Amino acid sequence: MAIIYNEEKHIFTLNTEHTTYQMKVDNYGFLLHLYYGKKTAGEMDYLLTGYDRGFSGNPYEAGEDRTYSLDVLPQEYPTAGTGDYRNSALIIRNQDGSECCALRYVSHQVKQGKYGLKGLPAVHAPQEEAETLEILMEDPVTRVQALLLYGVLADKDIITRSAKIINGGSGRIVVEKASSACLDFLGGSYDLISFYGRHAMERNFQRSGIVHGTASIGSRRGTSSHQYNPAVIIAQEGTTEDAGSCYGMMFVYSGGFLCEAEKDQFGQTRAIMGLSSDGFHYLLEREEELVVPETVLAYTHEGFSCLSEKYHRCVRENICRGKFADEIRPVLLNSWEASYFHFTGETICSLAREAAEIGIDMVVMDDGWFGKRDDDNSGLGDWYVNEEKLGCTLAELIQRVNRLGVKFGLWIEPEMVSEDSDLYRMHPDWAMQIPGRKPIRGRNQLVLDFSRAEVRNHILERICGVLDQGNVEYVKWDMNRSIAELYSKTTDAGKAAYDYVLGVYDFLERLRERYPDMLIEGCSGGGGRFDAGMLYYTPQIWCSDNTDAVDRVKIQYGTSFFYPASTVASHVSAAPNHQTGRNSSLHTRGVVAMAGVFGYELDICKLTPEQKEEVKEQIGQYRKYAGLIGRGDYYRLSNPFRDEIAAWLFVSEDRGRALLSVVMLEVHGNMTVNYVKLKGLEADSIYEDTESGRCYYGSALMEAGLAMPIELGEYRAYQIELKRKEL
Ligand code: GLA
């Protein structure tokens, strides 16, 4: 039993293999948080203290007791209007205009299996591997209810949280802010680790102390965004990769989010993860409900490496779905950086011919194949194959590609419309625009109102009409702007952002169901929607529009804290690189792209015979390591934001095999030697470098490391495969 209820003390304990989470219903019915951290025994309500704190109010029921204040006590789901002046997880505006919701315990249920969320992505697990706790809370005056959901995946050390807000009263209410998780810490000093960025430079690592006041990150862009990723770590000061306490909060949602970390007047820390409250005013009529997307929590006292391992497993096994979740994905060649908008069917066939020669599995025809689309100013929404441009039908093109033994994939951007398109001319009101105002353009395109079923249905029908023309085995789902106008013709503006995301999920789910054998890759100008919500529908995501190997090691480093390599699409592109103009060797580009789902994105027809040979070998190497990369444990061995080298390691689950990758980020005259210490090996086993034949003890590799050679030239890269010697 992972979930235990002590009836006498009204204490709930959630146990995973290494962690304990505990909460208590107090005498007034409020749900207080007691503890989350390393596994403990017994009830921990002794931790609660009560002192008369000036200017921290007391609920009326407390009578003369001035020592009881929700402004000080740790809470599970703090709400506005209860005398807690810290950040709230939930803000409800009642019909009378007041903002108050004082939730009290009503009942609870423990169920076998993991709860699901209607219309939303959520962690899934086999029935026997998870338990669910539902706690029903209610405001006795307004009858507004919150059903707090906890999912416990004991073996994985994962606890999920979500909430359903139900208007059980007679008046209309507006949910002004809704979160799924709150973590209150009684003491300690914590850092907030977040991943900020911009288009083509996503998920940079940032660490700062949580000080008095509130640090908040989030997205108001309608997507989870390039700017801040919806996953953060709360780490005890001093926590490193290998030691120290840290908590992860990963939001399973692809729209706007808000994460707040606050240190209060008594040095207590509160961290909240939930929906963005900007522009969010979710009207609930009687009996209507709002489901708050899930937050996945994990804790370890063994540092970031261990925390990442827990998230990687959870994402791979309990978020990604479908036949590709655990499958080695095809090595693909994408046409974007090969020819951008300028191609014909013949161009694609030439790429396919070379691909077949070299051993690439699939060719993807990126943007530009439909409507009038020779640049990014027109055509979105017109999902009709431009046969004139291709010089053939799609069916013919796919057949030609397939006859070469190469699979075929296609790019789409369903959520968008160009003003210069037949669709927009026909249905200008399908775009999200505020009446009477000119729209805000982004990449010269507008956003279709996917909260409307008729709009989604039309686009889905059109796209299926294309996909049904031939053997399309992969789709890249793109989304190339932020949403500016939160307005819908058919729904309340305050609901538009959330309903839009649910519309996207509905579309994706129907697409998946209709084409279960088709691999879908997510993308939003690269990694602008790299989140666990998308990964529920698309088991891989284009990590960044930046394919420069040197920048990529940083982007992939930041991405690796929560997301496994099996989700990170990564391609070898041309040199000099199109985003930075930087030169790096084909070998280095290959090593970096092999930290994810490997592919190519360049005009391979232009490669010299020697380069083609090298690519062939590279693909051979990748295939050798693909299982290790896709399913092995991943370790960060350096911090590329600080160190001269970028180094990472994959280790097979049985510890028998490892792949070390290193990129030298700097060269200097008379260099010092860089030593790379490995992790995750068996200390007492001997590992052989499969190329040089040299043998080392696991303990030596982990404690002293390997010396990286000093060689002239920029951005040299090394890949070393190690195999355990079976004695
Ligand atoms: C986005 C994607 C690119 C490419 C272009 C096409 O920027 O991230 O990979 O598909 O759109 O317009």
Side-chain angles (χ1 to χ4, degrees), residues 461-488:
E461 204 179 292
R462 282 306 326 134
I463 286 179
C464 292
V466 171
L467 297 178
D468 290 342
Q469 288 172 28
N471 183 23
V472 180
E473 295 185 68
Y474 158 106
V475 146
K476 176 175 167 190
W477 176 300
D478 212 337
M479 199 289 189
N480 279 318
R481 61 161 290 180
S482 302
I483 303 177
E485 285 99 351
L486 291 179
Y487 186 87
S488 170

Side-chain angles (χ1 to χ4, degrees), residues 486-555:
L486 291 179
Y487 186 87
S488 170
K489 262 191 95 167
T490 55
T491 170
D492 203 74
K495 289 181 162 183
Y498 175 88
D499 289 0
Y500 175 90
V501 179
L502 262 72
V504 172
Y505 290 150
D506 170 62
F507 193 122
L508 276 159
E509 189 63 11
R510 282 151 72 193
L511 194 67
R512 283 187 71 249
E513 277 168 11
R514 184 156 165 160
Y515 305 101
D517 293 332
M518 188 176 75
L519 171 62
I520 311 178
E521 176 168 321
C523 177
S524 176
R529 210 160 52 178
F530 204 118
D531 56 66
M534 283 307 283
L535 289 171
Y536 187 71
Y537 305 92
T538 71
Q540 63 189 56
I541 296 177
W542 181 226
C543 181
S544 175
D545 269 352
N546 187 342
T547 57
D548 176 291
V550 176
D551 277 354
R552 262 294 177 123
V553 292
K554 293 191 174 133
I555 297 168

Side-chain angles (χ1 to χ4, degrees), residues 335-389:
S335 70
W336 181 242
E337 288 196 27
S339 54
Y340 295 99
F341 291 104
H342 314 296
F343 58 85
T344 62
E346 195 40 51
T347 322
I348 302 298
C349 284
S350 316
L351 291 177
R353 266 191 296 277
E354 293 292 344
E357 277 285 299
I358 289 177
I360 292 175
D361 304 312
M362 178 187 283
V363 163
V364 174
M365 181 159 70
D366 208 279
D367 198 353
W369 57 266
F370 53 91
K372 186 185 115 198
R373 184 80 172 161
D374 291 323
D375 57 35
D376 56 10
N377 294 307
S378 62
L380 289 170
D382 293 343
W383 301 107
Y384 296 91
V385 179
N386 187 342
E387 294 179 356
E388 211 181 305
K389 176 170 177 174

